[in-house]
Amino acid sequence: MERRLGVVSLLIHDRSHIQRVNTLLSEYAPLILGRMGLPLREKGVHVIALIVEGTTDDLGALTGKLGRIPGLKVKSHLTDFRE
């Protein structure tokens, strides 16, 4: 299967589920090329941006599991770059 590059953004409104987020990110660590986090405390939100590379099935599994966590918004963008 083809591997694609992309970006996954997480907007965390409820920090009580952050351990679940980190556990999932650790589980899918082979897909994550880079991670940047910004705590926007004054806005009551935390942002995590992930640079990812993987098959659409693997990336869909990651974003699907993240999307089911309460207090978390997930958006992903896969480029048309294929390997």
Side-chain angles (χ1 to χ4, degrees):
M1 233 181 190
E2 293 179 321
R3 296 174 60 81
R4 296 178 67 180
L5 289 173
V7 177
V8 176
S9 62
L10 311 174
L11 216 59
I12 302 169
H13 298 281
D14 182 357
R15 285 188 44 88
S16 67
H17 300 287
I18 198 71
Q19 183 58 46
R20 199 162 153 202
V21 171
N22 283 327
T23 298
L24 269 175
L25 295 182
S26 293
E27 181 181 330
Y28 284 88
L31 303 179
I32 300 171
L33 301 175
R35 173 181 173 167
M36 178 180 62
L38 295 171
L40 301 174
R41 292 178 187 96
E42 66 282 351
K43 298 182 186 300
V45 67
H46 298 266
V47 180
I48 297 175
L50 305 171
I51 306 301
V52 294
E53 180 181 29
T55 65
T56 53
D57 289 346
D58 290 339
L59 296 172
L62 169 61
T63 57
K65 289 177 183 178
L66 287 168
R68 288 192 290 273
I69 298 174
L72 183 75
K73 299 285 184 190
V74 180
K75 295 291 180 182
S76 63
H77 173 74
L78 296 181
T79 66
D80 60 359
F81 176 82
R82 294 178 179 166
E83 190 177 77

